[in-house]
Amino acid sequence: MACDHLTCDNPDLQDFIREKAEKIPSLDPATIAAWIKNVETATGKTMDEALKKRIADRQKWHKPQEIQEMDQPKENEANANTPQPVEGYVMEEEECTASKDSPSQNDSFRLLDALVCFCLVSSWIAGACKSYIQMK
């Protein structure tokens, strides 16, 4: 089982699912307990621990002063965040035209016309041969 913060490593979601599952009378409590054990094995922490950590993280996220301190680069990271010059090509608009090697729309129609004519002529020859054989 793979976990990320949106699936099984999302304690808010897991708590919601657990609450809903416990309200379903036909759902065996052993099944719910097995599911909880699977989630805890996959995440490496109990659901209660994960929920407490998520609540603590959420409180940290809402303290702008601490966020600003966390966003400050460390001394060794200061050079890594400085903009580096980028080299590249200036984009120019090009007009796209069909090459002589590629079939044009008219060529496709000519091929279709030839195919239809071939089918009609083949049908006429087959009909003529059938009539000739029946006459003998």
Side-chain angles (χ1 to χ4, degrees), residues 27-134:
L27 193 57
D28 183 23
T31 303
I32 298 170
W35 170 75
I36 291 171
K37 185 175 186 258
N38 288 339
V39 170
E40 289 175 348
T41 300
T43 61
K45 53 193 164 221
T46 68
M47 289 176 65
D48 291 332
E49 289 171 352
L51 192 57
K52 286 177 187 175
K53 182 171 180 351
R54 178 62 65 101
I55 291 169
D57 287 345
R58 196 177 301 131
Q59 290 170 347
K60 235 191 240 185
W61 298 335
H62 294 288
K63 293 182 181 175
Q65 184 64 28
E66 289 182 16
I67 292 174
Q68 288 173 357
E69 289 172 8
M70 289 188 295
D71 286 343
Q72 295 299 321
K74 296 181 177 110
E75 290 178 26
N76 58 354
E77 293 177 351
N79 292 335
N81 292 334
T82 57
Q84 301 293 320
V86 177
E87 293 183 21
Y89 298 99
V90 176
M91 299 203 41
E92 296 176 4
E93 187 173 345
E94 292 184 7
E95 185 176 327
C96 184
T97 59
S99 71
K100 293 179 182 179
D101 296 334
S102 65
S104 67
Q105 206 170 14
N106 289 337
D107 292 339
S108 299
F109 284 124
R110 287 184 196 142
L111 180 62
L112 183 61
D113 291 343
L115 185 61
V116 169
C117 288
F118 174 76
C119 290
L120 290 173
V121 170
S122 298
S123 297
W124 179 77
I125 291 173
C129 289
K130 187 176 178 183
S131 296
Y132 178 73
I133 292 172
Q134 287 178 348

